[in-house]
Amino acid sequence: MLKVIGFDLDGTLTQHRTPLPPASRELLDRLRRRYRVLIVGAGNCPRILRQIENYPIDVIGNYGMQYCRYDPEAGLHRQVFDLQIPPDRESVTARISRLRREHGYTEYAGDGVEFHSSGCVTFPLLGTKADIRDKLAFDPDRKKRLAFYAEVCALFPEFTVFVGGSSSFDLAPLPYNKYYALDRLCQDEGYRHDEILYVGDDYGHGGNDEAVYVSDIPFRPVSDYTRVTSFLLDLL
Ligand SMILES: [Mg+2]
């Protein structure tokens, strides 16, 4: 019954912003013989394709706003769609300033908000130029961000808000999230939800895989990308 396996990338197949390790490549190679396999990512397609070194599978990027299909005859990826939903920058900036004042994040390095061409927005609590060590040490258990996550969601009703990366909130314009991306794939390409399996690591509250985890699409959690194959042995 299973036809499609969708994978999260960071934390599921590899480390954040790191190429696919050999074990993950081998897993994908084996699964591709039996199923349609694709990546459903939070980042944009060009970034994901660079990270996976153009590994020959389809890639959905920006929570479903972008889609690149691999053309096996040409040996390259082709963009199917690339949606952009520009936000009200002034209003977004004002709301982020308000959150910074209310929660004591008025000091930051670089910019206090990052607008992406897709319409996604990053709210980096420590700023865009913060030191990577400071970012990693900031909120490893996410408690600092979860403390006011509900408030951020309420203040940005036109977005889905994710507790993203190490020290930021990531905002994707509604209705885009990974569940929406997979549902659209089903509608466009004729799959049922129960013919899909999604594999991800970030399914906790505010995580970018949560929308799939709480949905009717079957979900396989991965708690350690270095052992990703061990979570999928029944499919090989
Ligand atoms: Mg992940």
Side-chain angles (χ1 to χ4, degrees), residues 54-59 68-78:
N54 295 311
Y55 185 84
I57 49 173
D58 300 341
V59 174
C68 281
R69 285 202 77 154
Y70 182 72
D71 177 344
E73 261 144 53
L76 48 78
H77 289 86
R78 293 187 193 281

Side-chain angles (χ1 to χ4, degrees), residues 20 24-30 32 37 39 49 52-59 70 77:
L20 293 170
S24 292
R25 279 187 167 257
E26 190 195 322
L27 172 67
L28 295 175
D29 289 345
R30 290 172 71 185
R32 279 165 54 219
V37 179
I39 302 258
L49 289 171
I52 66 173
E53 298 165 301
N54 295 311
Y55 185 84
I57 49 173
D58 300 341
V59 174
Y70 182 72
H77 289 86

Side-chain angles (χ1 to χ4, degrees), residues 37-128:
V37 179
L38 54 126
I39 302 258
V40 187
N44 63 58
C45 284
R47 192 187 116 192
I48 293 170
L49 289 171
R50 269 198 305 279
Q51 184 177 347
I52 66 173
E53 298 165 301
N54 295 311
Y55 185 84
I57 49 173
D58 300 341
V59 174
I60 295 175
N62 287 340
Y63 302 102
M65 300 178 75
Q66 282 185 334
Y67 185 26
C68 281
R69 285 202 77 154
Y70 182 72
D71 177 344
E73 261 144 53
L76 48 78
H77 289 86
R78 293 187 193 281
Q79 188 170 278
V80 181
F81 58 80
D82 178 14
L83 305 174
Q84 274 140 23
I85 304 177
D88 179 338
R89 287 182 178 230
E90 202 177 320
S91 161
V92 166
T93 304
R95 281 177 276 171
I96 284 180
S97 297
R98 181 177 143 191
L99 285 165
R100 286 190 179 283
R101 285 194 304 275
E102 282 173 6
H103 294 279
Y105 293 104
T106 48
E107 307 265 315
Y108 51 88
D111 295 327
V113 54
E114 192 176 359
F115 291 100
H116 304 277
S117 57
S118 58
C120 292
V121 176
T122 303
F123 171 15
L125 288 171
L126 305 183
T128 52

Side-chain angles (χ1 to χ4, degrees), residues 32 42 44 53 95 109 131 179 183 192 224 228:
R32 279 165 54 219
N44 63 58
E53 298 165 301
R95 281 177 276 171
D131 189 281
Y179 172 76
D183 181 59
R192 296 193 315 259
D224 176 1
V228 57

Side-chain angles (χ1 to χ4, degrees), residues 8-14 142 178 198 200-202 208-209:
D8 168 56
L9 181 58
D10 288 351
T12 299
L13 287 168
T14 184
R142 300 187 169 189
K178 292 187 181 183
Y198 181 76
D201 71 307
D202 196 8
N208 69 35
D209 300 318

